[in-house]
Amino acid sequence: VISAAGGAALVVTDVGYTRLQREWRGWLADRLDVPLVQVESEAVIPVGVVSGKQEYAARTIRPKIHRLWHDYLVPLDAHDLRKQTRDWEAGEDVSDPTRLLKTLPIDHSVPPGDEEGGENAAHDLLEDFITRKLDTYDTRRNDPTVDGSSRLSAHLHYGQISPLSAALAAREHGSPGADAFLEELIVRRELSFNLCTYNPHYDRYEGLPAWARATLAEHAGDRREYTYTRAELDAAQTHDPYWNAAQRQMTRTGRMHNYMRMYWGKKILEWTPTPQQAYTEMLWLNNRHEQDGRDPNSYASIGWVLGLHDRPWTRRPIFGTVRYMNAGGLKRKFDIDRYARQWAE
């Protein structure tokens, strides 16, 4: 990047919300001879404009976003930026991506997923979602046995599509499904940006709310009927066929249905000796396999399992007053046995 900036008047990047992204941008800014400008393109509404503090839950950030989003849900001026770019040396031969990938210091035991990445694939997914799924998104998105989600999360994570483009397309189409999609794309997603911006421990157990850590500590010594090692969890070797199916979906495709991810996390809390270890195992498994791992959404979702952005519920063993989930809830909401068959061994 530094060599490519030769002759440039400035370098523009998006805002990074996670610690690693901020470190990358800081490293780059220290080494450039020209200004580095950050543009908040991952959020529809800039985080600091919405709120100057960590928000307690979706219900506290939602009205703040709703007051602002019509000012920001506007199309950008259309420019073909490709005509304004110039060729530059990448420093690496990228003609053979598979060969280049083998040279990187990454965990090569994790296989590639079965979906295509890139800008074109992202926009094809969005078009398919808008025309075929959006009308029923509000009723079908929580059923993992049907293809009812947008599947845009990884593309958003890697900047292959703009959330503004997706939001405008959904709003133009209309329908109750569009309202539900905008809630996920803007309110819930930007709640996770708020978390990473204002909570320095967003990716650690210490970042959970005090009430959740207190109630989990009170029940940390409760008896666990089952306990599993990291290796057993990673290999989907538990007694629970529904949990195993969710884990297999993640390891085979690089994604897990969001509703199943909540159940998946709650069970890890039940099956590990301490809540601190449960958090560690969830984070390790998620970031190892999910295409959008290490994303603010990941940290918010894992934190939610242990009480983040939630409220106290009925007290139970192990969970204390943290929200509980069981297989009975899955059976009431959809055909969980069909899901288990889809991702059978």
Side-chain angles (χ1 to χ4, degrees):
V1 175
I2 294 174
S3 62
L10 74 157
V11 174
V12 181
T13 182
D14 54 356
V15 171
Y17 302 108
T18 64
R19 189 177 300 104
L20 182 61
Q21 290 174 319
R22 292 194 291 263
E23 289 174 358
W24 285 344
R25 286 151 181 77
W27 180 92
L28 183 59
D30 289 342
R31 287 161 177 78
L32 287 172
D33 295 326
V34 296
L36 175 69
V37 176
Q38 295 186 89
V39 177
E40 200 145 10
S41 58
E42 283 199 65
V44 174
I45 307 170
V47 172
V49 172
V50 174
S51 176
K53 63 178 183 178
Q54 181 182 345
E55 292 293 329
Y56 183 80
R59 62 178 171 80
T60 66
I61 201 173
R62 185 179 296 112
K64 298 178 180 181
I65 287 177
H66 281 190
R67 282 196 295 268
L68 294 164
W69 72 1
H70 292 296
D71 294 333
Y72 288 88
L73 274 174
V74 294
L76 299 177
D77 291 337
H79 292 290
D80 190 348
L81 296 180
R82 290 169 295 181
K83 295 178 181 178
Q84 302 172 37
T85 60
R86 62 181 178 84
D87 293 333
W88 58 282
E89 291 295 329
E92 292 282 355
D93 179 7
V94 296
S95 60
D96 185 354
T98 301
R99 179 201 62 78
L100 183 60
L101 186 66
K102 291 178 180 179
T103 68
L104 299 179
I106 60 176
D107 185 352
H108 295 279
S109 67
V110 179
D114 59 359
E115 295 182 341
E116 180 183 356
E119 182 180 0
N120 291 337
H123 283 276
D124 288 345
L125 268 179
L126 175 61
E127 182 179 357
D128 178 69
F129 172 68
I130 296 296
T131 57
R132 192 170 63 86
K133 305 178 191 177
L134 184 60
D135 287 341
T136 57
Y137 180 76
D138 57 322
T139 58
R140 289 164 60 91
R141 71 183 188 278
N142 285 333
D143 187 344
T145 67
V146 300
D147 182 18
S149 64
S150 72
R151 292 160 67 171
L152 288 172
S153 183
H155 296 280
L156 289 165
H157 171 75
Y158 287 105
Q160 296 166 354
I161 192 169
S162 164
L164 179 61
S165 298
L168 290 172
R171 188 182 66 171
E172 181 179 356
H173 183 83
S175 79
D179 293 337
F181 179 64
L182 292 175
E183 166 74 13
E184 298 292 333
L185 179 67
I186 301 178
V187 176
R188 300 286 177 163
R189 188 164 179 264
E190 298 191 12
L191 177 62
S192 71
F193 296 163
N194 170 275
L195 169 71
C196 292
T197 299
Y198 295 116
N199 188 330
H201 305 297
Y202 67 84
D203 57 347
R204 298 169 186 148
Y205 185 81
E206 293 73 23
L208 298 175
W211 73 264
R213 285 182 282 121
T215 193
L216 290 170
E218 291 173 12
H219 291 269
D222 291 356
R223 187 181 71 87
R224 270 72 170 161
E225 185 176 0
Y226 301 94
T227 57
Y228 295 103
T229 65
R230 173 179 288 185
E232 289 171 328
L233 294 172
D234 196 26
Q237 295 175 345
T238 79
H239 70 285
D240 185 334
Y242 308 141
W243 191 94
N244 293 344
Q247 177 68 14
R248 290 193 195 104
Q249 181 184 18
M250 180 172 66
T251 57
R252 293 177 187 174
T253 68
R255 56 182 169 80
M256 185 192 301
H257 190 279
N258 193 50
Y259 193 88
M260 291 306 300
R261 179 149 55 173
M262 295 187 289
Y263 176 80
W264 172 88
K266 297 290 186 181
K267 289 302 165 183
I268 292 177
L269 174 58
E270 283 191 51
W271 300 338
T272 46
T274 68
Q276 291 88 343
Q277 185 175 339
Y279 185 94
T280 298
E281 301 303 348
M282 278 187 276
L283 194 61
W284 186 85
L285 290 166
N286 181 88
N287 289 355
R288 172 175 164 83
H289 294 292
E290 286 280 357
Q291 290 179 347
D292 60 345
R294 303 171 296 103
D295 187 89
N297 272 330
S298 292
Y299 299 118
S301 296
I302 290 170
W304 180 89
V305 170
L306 299 173
L308 177 70
H309 297 150
D310 206 359
R311 60 175 177 83
W313 291 72
T314 302
R315 186 176 298 274
R316 292 178 178 272
I318 301 175
F319 288 80
T321 56
V322 167
R323 186 195 298 250
Y324 174 74
M325 289 182 70
N326 62 15
L330 305 180
K331 294 176 181 178
R332 288 191 298 270
K333 291 183 178 294
F334 48 82
D335 188 351
I336 184 59
D337 290 306
R338 178 185 175 191
Y339 176 79
R341 291 192 298 272
Q342 286 176 336
W343 300 102
E345 209 167 350

